[in-house]
């Protein structure tokens, strides 16, 4: 047992070996609400184990991830992470410190018990900048979980599954090399594969990539072809028609939902929307156009777990399947995505992604890892992971 700031005894939360432990606290234990009193931000360079080549010359090699710590007046610390890919979405890594600094007067003093209200307040204070708000929202949810002594999946709707299926993303390179990557991932238990396309603007090469990966993993596993909204309707349609005899799905070939819907209609292949889904209105529009078979719900696109939870409810209602993830990052953002995935209703989750397995360094030594193509959410209160301070290094921002 330990004592709160009034000297009252409160029980400690116990958990499996290696999980975070701490006092079970509640807002009703205090004469005044718990408040955020400190903001610390770090920047860490993440290097991909393999450079990820995508359409329109986009690539992921070494990128900046930002890690946020919100500290409260009772000593609890909530963690968040966001890692925008360069030239990918309306977000950029160097914007995070500026946006956090701008929001700091509104963040300091926030009570993290009940996250929706303070996040709506931040939306009114700084319109847009969802990627920067996602890191704040994540840290507030972490504090909320620690305060109640519950893992986030319990607060996000309850755990609906023991573990979740992972997909493996295959960089857009030579077709034979992509097939070998697929075979290696298959040997580890992976049964869902994302095939990156469009790096050389050659639709025939894209078709060959899809065919060889499909052959490499055999019948049954899910294979989907991802252009990251980087090709024309014609390119995607020619590729899709060349592989429409195969069991494959397409992912966001074009920038607009209307063009994606036209490709779906021309090829007859199911469509997963990614970049085009970023709020409730875009989900509704994709459904109206008939191209919302599956959707990537990403934390930084929607602005954090609070907005993602609303998007999930709508997606379930619309009958689409969900890929629960974020744009990029390491263990902290992966933990948030895993809690979200673990609480997604049965029948609605297509897969999730262990982003941390694609990069180095790993931020949290206590984070879960994939086992036989699947992964479990962290245990312990809140996010259930704690960063290695030596890996984080010196902060780039400290506010109180």
């Amino acid at each position: 047992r330990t004592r709160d700031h009034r000297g009252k005894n409160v029980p400690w939360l116990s958990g499996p070996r290696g999980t975070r432990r701490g006092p079970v606290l509640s807002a009703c234990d205090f004469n005044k609400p718990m408040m955020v009193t400190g903001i610390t931000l770090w920047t860490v360079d993440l290097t991909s184990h393999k450079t990820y080549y995508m359409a329109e010359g986009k690539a992921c090699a070494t990128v900046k991830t930002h890690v946020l710590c919100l500290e409260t007046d009772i000593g609890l610390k909530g963690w968040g992470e966001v890692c925008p890919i360069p030239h990918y979405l309306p977000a950029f890594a160097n914007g995070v410190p500026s946006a956090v600094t701008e929001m700091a007067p509104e963040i300091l003093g926030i009570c993290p018990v009940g996250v929706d209200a303070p996040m709506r307040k931040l939306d009114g204070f700084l319109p847009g900048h969802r990627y920067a708000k996602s890191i704040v929202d994540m840290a507030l949810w972490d504090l909320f979980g620690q305060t109640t002594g519950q893992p986030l999946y319990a607060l996000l709707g309850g755990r609906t599954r023991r573990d979740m299926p992972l997909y493996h993303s295959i960089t857009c390179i030579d077709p034979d090399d992509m097939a070998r990557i697929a075979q290696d991932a298959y040997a580890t238990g992976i049964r869902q594969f994302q095939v990156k396309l469009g790096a050389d603007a050659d639709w025939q090469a894209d078709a060959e990539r899809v065919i060889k990966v499909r052959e490499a993993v055999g019948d049954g596993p899910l294979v989907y072809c991802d252009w990251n909204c980087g090709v024309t309707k014609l390119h995607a349609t020619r590729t899709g028609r060349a592989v429409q005899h195969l069991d494959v799905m397409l992912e966001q070939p074009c920038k607009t939902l209307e063009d994606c819907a036209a490709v779906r209609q021309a090829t007859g292949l199911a469509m997963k929307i990614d970049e085009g889904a970023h709020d409730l209105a875009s989900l509704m529009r994709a459904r109206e156009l008939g191209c919302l078979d599956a959707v990537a719900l990403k934390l930084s696109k929607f602005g954090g777990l609070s907005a993602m939870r609303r998007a999930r409810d709508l997606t379930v209602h619309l009958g689409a399947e969900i890929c629960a993830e974020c744009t990029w990052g390491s263990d902290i953002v992966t933990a948030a995505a895993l809690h979200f995935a673990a609480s997604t209703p049965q029948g609605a989750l297509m897969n999730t992604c262990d982003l941390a397995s694609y990069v180095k360094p790993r931020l949290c030594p206590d984070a879960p890892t994939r086992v036989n193509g699947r992964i479990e959410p962290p245990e312990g209160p809140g996010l259930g992971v704690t960063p290695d301070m030596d890996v984080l290094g010196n902060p780039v921002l400290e506010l109180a």
Side-chain angles (χ1 to χ4, degrees):
R1 300 178 72 85
T2 188
R3 296 178 184 272
D4 67 16
H5 74 294
R6 296 182 299 162
K8 178 181 176 181
N9 284 329
V10 293
W12 279 74
L13 180 75
S14 62
R17 183 182 298 274
T19 62
R20 232 174 11 170
R21 293 177 171 90
V24 179
L25 304 172
S26 171
C28 62
D29 288 332
F30 308 107
N31 291 320
K32 61 184 181 65
M34 176 176 57
M35 294 189 302
V36 174
T37 55
I39 301 170
T40 309
L41 187 72
W42 292 263
T43 299
V44 179
D45 288 340
L46 298 179
T47 301
S48 302
H49 298 307
K50 294 180 183 293
T51 299
Y52 274 80
Y53 297 102
M54 299 172 279
E56 291 189 314
K58 300 185 182 80
C60 270
T62 297
V63 297
K64 292 180 180 179
T65 197
H66 280 92
V67 174
L68 177 72
C69 177
L70 298 183
E71 188 165 3
T72 70
D73 55 353
I74 63 169
L76 292 181
K77 295 180 178 181
W79 296 93
E81 181 187 4
V82 67
C83 184
I85 298 174
H87 319 298
Y88 174 63
L89 289 170
F92 68 108
N94 289 334
V96 175
S98 297
V100 171
T101 301
E102 184 72 15
M103 293 184 288
E106 299 298 310
I107 297 170
L108 294 169
I110 280 179
C111 174
V113 179
V115 181
D116 282 322
M119 290 310 299
R120 291 182 188 276
K121 183 180 179 183
L122 286 179
D123 284 339
F125 180 76
L126 180 66
H129 300 277
R130 291 174 182 163
Y131 66 102
K133 290 174 184 171
S134 70
I135 198 174
V136 178
D137 178 270
M138 196 182 304
L140 290 174
W141 274 99
D142 190 18
L143 286 171
F144 188 16
Q146 293 179 56
T147 302
T148 59
Q150 297 292 320
L152 282 194
Y153 59 70
L155 302 179
L156 293 170
R159 189 168 182 170
T160 59
R161 49 184 51 83
R162 182 180 66 84
D163 58 12
M164 294 80 66
L166 293 163
Y167 76 85
H168 190 80
S169 184
I170 304 172
T171 180
C172 186
I173 51 178
D174 178 80
D176 289 325
D177 291 332
M178 294 177 72
R180 280 192 289 270
I181 293 171
Q183 287 176 325
D184 290 343
Y186 185 92
T188 69
I190 293 288
R191 294 297 181 267
Q192 300 192 34
F193 302 86
Q194 180 191 64
V195 183
K196 294 293 186 185
L197 300 176
D200 48 14
D202 183 341
W203 73 267
Q204 291 173 307
D206 282 347
E208 183 181 1
R209 292 177 174 111
V210 177
I211 291 168
K212 290 195 171 181
V213 168
R214 178 78 269 177
E215 291 174 347
V217 301
D219 296 333
L222 176 64
V223 174
Y224 49 101
C225 322
D226 183 18
W227 285 278
N228 291 106
C229 67
V231 295
T232 64
K233 285 189 296 182
L234 179 59
H235 180 119
T237 298
R238 295 173 87 181
T239 305
R241 286 181 172 170
V243 301
Q244 66 185 161
H245 62 290
L246 301 175
D247 175 22
V248 296
M249 179 170 66
L250 308 182
E251 179 176 354
Q252 189 90 38
C254 309
K255 289 181 171 58
T256 69
L257 293 176
E258 288 77 11
D259 284 353
C260 290
V263 173
R264 193 203 187 288
Q265 183 176 14
T267 62
L269 295 173
M271 181 72 66
K272 175 188 172 190
I273 297 300
D274 180 359
E275 292 85 356
H278 48 81
D279 58 15
L280 302 187
S282 58
L283 291 171
M284 290 295 297
R285 181 57 177 159
R287 169 59 186 271
E288 291 169 1
L289 292 167
C291 59
L292 192 71
D293 298 296
V295 61
L297 299 185
K298 294 183 175 178
L299 289 154
S300 66
K301 280 195 307 177
F302 282 82
L305 287 163
S306 300
M308 282 265 284
R309 187 173 55 164
R310 294 190 290 272
R312 180 179 65 188
D313 291 344
L314 177 59
T315 303
V316 172
H317 174 71
L318 297 177
E321 294 195 24
I322 294 168
C323 170
E325 57 174 345
C326 198
T327 47
W328 207 243
S330 187
D331 292 300
I332 301 172
V333 71
T334 294
L338 297 184
H339 283 287
F340 180 83
S343 59
T344 294
Q346 289 289 346
L349 182 72
M350 185 171 77
N351 56 37
T352 188
C353 185
D354 56 342
L355 293 163
S357 73
Y358 292 85
V359 298
K360 58 182 180 181
R362 298 290 296 260
L363 298 183
C364 303
D366 54 354
T369 56
R370 61 171 68 177
V371 178
N372 196 30
R374 303 180 72 86
I375 194 166
E376 296 186 25
E379 298 294 345
L383 285 171
V385 295
T386 307
D388 182 337
M389 301 307 295
D390 291 333
V391 175
L392 294 185
N394 296 319
V396 297
L397 185 66
E398 294 181 273
L399 300 169

